[in-house]
Amino acid sequence: NKIKNQSNNMNQGYKKKFTVIHGIEGIGKSLLAKQYAHKFNSIDAKNKSLWVNSNSEGSIIHSYNEILDIEL
């Protein structure tokens, strides 16, 4: 229910854009993601970048729960 309500709020007047970066450890994925987020967010104040830690299933669930608690 919480996810559905948040999803409805996010869909009002916004186009969603998802970017996924993956690869082996130590090649600079986090740095690339931070640079991308900074540039993307500076284009328009409405833009939001959300970070999902995908080290494990538990960290993914934890990240999504934290995102759901953010007032966008």
Side-chain angles (χ1 to χ4, degrees), residues 15-22 29 32-37 40-41 48-54 64:
K15 292 183 180 180
K16 292 183 234 174
K17 180 177 180 180
F18 295 91
T19 303
V20 176
I21 302 170
H22 63 91
K29 296 180 301 293
L32 176 65
K34 289 175 185 177
Q35 290 172 342
Y36 174 85
F40 179 71
N41 292 341
K48 305 290 181 202
S49 295
L50 307 170
W51 188 279
V52 177
N53 181 343
S54 61
Y64 277 111

Side-chain angles (χ1 to χ4, degrees), residues 2-66:
K2 184 177 180 181
I3 294 173
K4 186 176 181 180
N5 290 338
Q6 187 68 24
S7 178
N8 289 339
N9 291 339
M10 290 173 64
N11 289 332
Q12 295 175 1
Y14 295 99
K15 292 183 180 180
K16 292 183 234 174
K17 180 177 180 180
F18 295 91
T19 303
V20 176
I21 302 170
H22 63 91
I24 61 172
E25 289 183 34
I27 60 170
K29 296 180 301 293
S30 295
L31 178 61
L32 176 65
K34 289 175 185 177
Q35 290 172 342
Y36 174 85
H38 178 71
K39 184 174 182 177
F40 179 71
N41 292 341
S42 68
I43 293 171
D44 186 337
K46 291 184 223 171
N47 291 339
K48 305 290 181 202
S49 295
L50 307 170
W51 188 279
V52 177
N53 181 343
S54 61
N55 287 331
S56 67
E57 182 179 348
S59 66
I60 294 170
I61 292 168
H62 179 75
S63 293
Y64 277 111
N65 283 329
E66 285 185 335

